[in-house]
């Protein structure tokens, strides 16, 4: 299994904040901080690939989301 997938799934089911970085490249720009996973849904069509849709929202924590360059 994919460790990132498991961490996001566990954060959703445990209603726990998770540290995320949504960057445009490995050392790129984007948002970084603690988020709550407010939606986690799987689609498993019989003749297609499994997909997961996730919605992450900023949360009250010591690490508020910030833009990094």
């Amino acid at each position: 299994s994919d460790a990132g997938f498991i961490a996001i799934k566990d954060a959703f089911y445990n209603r726990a904040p998770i540290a995320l970085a949504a960057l445009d490249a490995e050392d790129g720009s984007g948002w970084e901080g603690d988020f709550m996973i407010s939606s986690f849904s799987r689609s498993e069509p019989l003749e297609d690939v499994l997909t997961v849709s996730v919605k992450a929202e900023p949360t009250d924590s010591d690490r508020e989301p910030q833009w990094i360059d």
Side-chain angles (χ1 to χ4, degrees):
S1 283
D2 182 284
F5 173 82
I6 292 170
I8 291 170
K9 176 182 64 73
D10 288 349
F12 175 72
Y13 286 112
N14 293 321
R15 296 183 179 151
I18 185 170
L20 295 176
L23 308 176
D24 59 6
E26 187 172 334
D27 291 321
S29 300
W31 288 101
E32 175 183 61
D34 290 340
F35 294 83
M36 294 296 290
I37 305 302
S38 60
S39 174
F40 183 93
S41 61
R42 293 173 56 144
S43 174
E44 300 182 51
L46 292 176
E47 297 181 14
D48 206 351
V49 297
L50 172 128
T51 60
V52 177
S53 178
V54 174
K55 182 176 181 182
E57 297 184 24
T59 186
D60 294 330
S61 75
D62 293 336
R63 281 180 15 102
E64 290 188 19
Q66 63 180 349
W67 183 262
I68 58 171
D69 286 313

